[in-house]
Amino acid sequence: SAVISQKPSRDICQRGTSLTIQCQVDSQVTMMFWYRQQPGQSLTLIATANQGSEATYESGFVIDKFPISRPNLTFSTLTVSNMSPEDSSIYLCSVAGLAAEQYFGPGTRLTVT
Amino acid sequence: SQKIEQNSEALNIQEGKTATLTCNYTNYSPAYLQWYRQDPGRGPVFLLLIRENEKEKRKERLKVTFDTTLKQSLFHITASQPADSATYLCALDGPGAGSYQLTFGKGTKLSVIP
């Protein structure tokens, strides 16, 4: 299994600003994913990030709002742009294992005031 | 899109009993179904994966069944312990063969009472 770290672990941001969340994996992986978990809700996939290609976004999520970078096989960033209180959530990255299971980071708890 | 229902938001059981959690889906049949455990303030932890052609999978005190006719998976924890208290999520892949995109249920919060 992979070990994943995320930075920051939590942040409080003002409306209209942007926050970049970092995800670091301890081994090289092809597929990385970004999820959002709103209070009391389950995980919702934002996008799939493969190294060397553009991220693939799920319905309801757009690149202008959630730009993603994947510069190498161990690192990715998700930016939450022009934030509003509705963006308050936990953001999680994950990587795919050999059998299609996923390994998750600890999450970034974002509060927008 | 896939719709997933997990039987209840919360389940309380006595220590030593078997906990049974249910996951029902309504649309396409997934190639596989997964169960995760999530503790407060932490990311989900992978527990078990069962494929569409498998009826049952076991790992220590955990057992998962998968009935594609009923569109249902059951997740059992035998001899439950207070340390098993957590939220358990089921997740389905697809649609499409080889899809790694997962759709998660809302989860069932299990409390094991000593």
Side-chain angles (χ1 to χ4, degrees):
Chain A
S1 65
V3 177
I4 302 166
S5 59
Q6 285 185 235
K7 287 183 185 179
S9 58
R10 57 177 63 223
D11 207 341
I12 301 173
C13 301
Q14 290 204 331
R15 161 197 309 258
T17 62
S18 297
L19 176 72
T20 295
I21 301 167
Q22 299 178 8
C23 179
Q24 180 76 51
V25 189
D26 69 341
S27 57
Q28 294 186 336
V29 293
T30 303
M31 301 184 76
M32 292 181 77
F33 306 91
W34 285 98
Y35 289 84
R36 181 174 72 182
Q37 188 171 28
Q38 293 178 304
Q41 301 298 313
S42 191
L43 284 78
T44 301
L45 181 64
I46 298 172
T48 302
N50 292 336
Q51 197 266 335
S53 63
E54 297 268 333
T56 303
Y57 289 83
E58 297 299 304
S59 176
F61 298 96
V62 294
I63 188 171
D64 290 346
K65 175 69 175 175
F66 297 102
I68 288 170
S69 79
R70 182 81 202 273
N72 58 53
L73 290 172
T74 63
F75 188 77
S76 178
T77 67
L78 169 77
T79 299
V80 186
S81 304
N82 188 25
M83 288 184 284
S84 66
E86 292 72 38
D87 294 319
S88 297
S89 189
I90 298 172
Y91 292 85
L92 297 132
C93 68
S94 73
V95 302
L98 292 175
E101 75 280 18
Q102 291 188 17
Y103 300 98
F104 285 83
T108 295
R109 183 179 293 272
L110 170 62
T111 303
V112 183
T113 60
Chain B
S1 62
Q2 189 67 276
K3 198 170 182 181
I4 302 172
E5 284 187 15
Q6 295 193 237
N7 56 327
S8 55
E9 286 191 15
L11 180 66
N12 297 328
I13 63 163
Q14 209 69 34
E15 181 177 4
K17 301 290 186 186
T18 296
T20 299
L21 285 63
T22 305
C23 176
N24 294 291
Y25 58 95
T26 56
N27 293 334
Y28 60 86
S29 285
Y32 51 82
L33 186 149
Q34 305 183 32
W35 284 89
Y36 290 79
R37 168 184 173 140
Q38 188 172 27
D39 291 284
R42 294 179 173 262
V45 174
F46 170 73
L47 295 175
L48 280 168
L49 180 152
I50 187 165
R51 302 193 181 280
E52 59 180 339
N53 59 351
E54 297 175 317
K55 296 291 184 193
E56 182 179 298
K57 205 96 172 260
R58 291 177 186 259
K59 179 183 174 183
E60 298 171 355
R61 293 184 296 111
L62 309 180
K63 184 177 88 171
V64 172
T65 62
F66 193 8
D67 189 325
T68 55
T69 303
L70 292 178
K71 295 191 174 182
Q72 181 181 81
S73 174
L74 299 179
F75 177 78
H76 307 273
I77 305 176
T78 58
S80 59
Q81 305 165 0
D84 295 326
S85 298
T87 296
Y88 291 86
L89 308 169
C90 76
L92 281 66
D93 75 309
S99 169
Y100 281 78
Q101 280 78 18
L102 295 181
T103 301
F104 282 82
K106 280 192 173 182
T108 296
K109 185 176 181 181
L110 175 68
S111 297
V112 180
I113 302 159

